[in-house]
Amino acid sequence: MVELPKTPSLRLDGKRALITGGSSGIGLGSAVALAEAGAHVVIAARNESRLKEVHESMAEAGYSAETLTMDVGDTKALVSQINAQPAFDVVVNSAGYARPAPALDTTPEDFQQVMDINVRGAFFVSTSCARAMVDAGNGGSIIHISSQMGHVGGIDRSVYCASKHAVEGMIKALAIEWGPHNIRVNTICPTFIKTPLTQVTFDNPERVEWIKSKIKLDRIGEIEDIMGSVLYLASSASALVTGSSLMVDGGWTAG
Ligand SMILES: NC(=O)c1ccc[n+]([C@@H]2O[C@H](COP(=O)([O-])OP(=O)(O)OC[C@H]3O[C@@H](n4cnc5c(N)ncnc54)[C@H](OP(=O)(O)O)[C@@H]3O)[C@@H](O)[C@H]2O)c1
């Protein structure tokens, strides 16, 4: 007889997960994927009425969920809100911001806003959650929703690309620092996905042509295209994966 290897489980029963930006788009898809796998999900975003509606839908679907009104642009507040929570096992940082514009039209205020949410927010969500993970001693998985634009350039996206390239560097350094605590830090890098964030781009026929010309699989992404990768990186199926970027880009960055 041969001793057969065991396929790692994708279940997350008994785990607690924080999802920033969990009330819409990719974050909402992440929350559903993790809750369906058995995790208790804490869904964080700013708009309370939207959070209330999401909570109702999650409860009706039978998922274990709570909401947290949080602005990742307010570092002091987010740190104290995360400190007030029991340690998380899984974190999906999906809160993000884009203001597509030519570089020559970009104001210091626009630049600051993108960096505050996409880089500073991502950093302090990571460190606040990791501190409690270290204290709890159970390890954890921190997943940032970065972008294919963390690996290439894009039209009208100089600041957004700068912010996502920063996230890609950040997770590599954090993976080195927190590996000894079994805290894994990775990114998911989606191509264009239909969400409220990208509506302005999809309203522009020239941009739609550009997008279609770059995605080898010849279709725009859906939220469901991201959910499996979130589950993979959250679970023991990816136990040896850290400091990595999972491209979910339909082949955009292949060439
Ligand atoms: N959609 C795409 O094509 C695409 C592609 C690659 C990467 N991404 C990245 O994926 C992430 C999610 O994008 P999405 O398309 O899913 O966007 P979305 O549908 O607009 O959702 C954004 C979510 O983030 C929350 N949020 C925004 N600012 C926040 C803040 N300051 N503090 C806390 N929560 C905040 C929003 O809720 P409130 O407004 O109520 O706070 C909402 O829940 C972003 O990081 C984005 O850069 C998206």
Side-chain angles (χ1 to χ4, degrees):
M1 293 286 276
V2 173
E3 197 185 330
L4 299 175
K6 287 194 180 70
T7 308
S9 173
L10 289 166
R11 293 294 307 169
L12 297 169
D13 303 286
K15 304 284 188 193
R16 282 172 49 79
L18 171 68
I19 303 98
T20 74
S23 65
S24 174
I26 294 169
L28 180 57
S30 304
V32 170
L34 299 176
E36 213 168 294
H40 173 73
V41 295
V42 178
I43 298 175
R46 294 167 303 175
N47 184 319
E48 283 186 48
S49 59
R50 171 75 184 181
L51 281 171
K52 192 165 172 278
E53 279 181 74
V54 167
H55 187 255
E56 279 165 12
S57 301
M58 295 289 285
E60 196 172 305
Y63 300 138
S64 176
E66 65 186 277
T67 59
L68 186 59
T69 309
M70 179 196 274
D71 180 354
V72 304
D74 184 341
T75 305
K76 210 170 156 194
L78 88 82
V79 170
S80 74
Q81 283 182 301
I82 292 175
N83 285 349
Q85 289 271 332
F88 293 103
D89 305 285
V90 175
V91 177
V92 179
N93 180 50
S94 189
Y97 184 65
R99 187 168 283 187
L104 297 182
D105 297 342
T106 298
T107 64
E109 290 73 27
D110 290 345
F111 181 95
Q112 194 60 47
Q113 203 169 356
V114 173
M115 290 297 173
D116 281 354
I117 306 302
N118 295 5
V119 184
R120 198 179 62 181
F123 183 82
F124 286 101
V125 166
S126 303
T127 53
S128 310
C129 292
R131 189 166 289 117
M133 286 175 179
V134 170
D135 290 345
N138 300 323
S141 172
I142 300 176
I143 303 161
H144 289 283
I145 308 298
S146 174
S147 173
Q148 63 184 13
M149 296 301 175
H151 294 260
V152 293
I155 300 169
D156 288 347
R157 277 166 175 75
S158 53
V159 181
Y160 185 75
C161 285
S163 74
K164 295 299 186 177
H165 276 70
V167 169
E168 292 298 311
M170 179 189 82
I171 62 112
K172 290 181 173 65
L174 295 181
I176 294 168
E177 208 167 307
W178 297 339
H181 299 285
N182 198 27
I183 299 169
R184 302 183 295 107
V185 195
N186 294 291
T187 60
I188 294 172
C189 300
T191 187
F192 281 92
I193 309 288
K194 269 190 219 136
T195 71
L197 187 77
T198 46
Q199 194 53 52
V200 60
T201 303
F202 288 123
D203 287 344
N204 180 337
E206 265 180 43
R207 293 290 175 267
V208 172
E209 276 318 300
W210 169 56
I211 291 167
K212 282 189 175 160
S213 75
K214 298 289 278 185
I215 300 180
K216 313 299 179 285
L217 292 174
D218 205 26
R219 70 174 175 86
I220 283 151
E222 304 286 344
I223 289 162
E224 287 79 359
D225 290 310
I226 309 301
M227 292 168 78
S229 52
V230 170
L231 194 52
Y232 168 68
L233 286 176
S235 73
S236 59
S238 61
L240 198 59
V241 181
T242 195
S244 280
S245 313
L246 183 43
M247 310 307 295
V248 187
D249 67 352
W252 184 301
T253 58

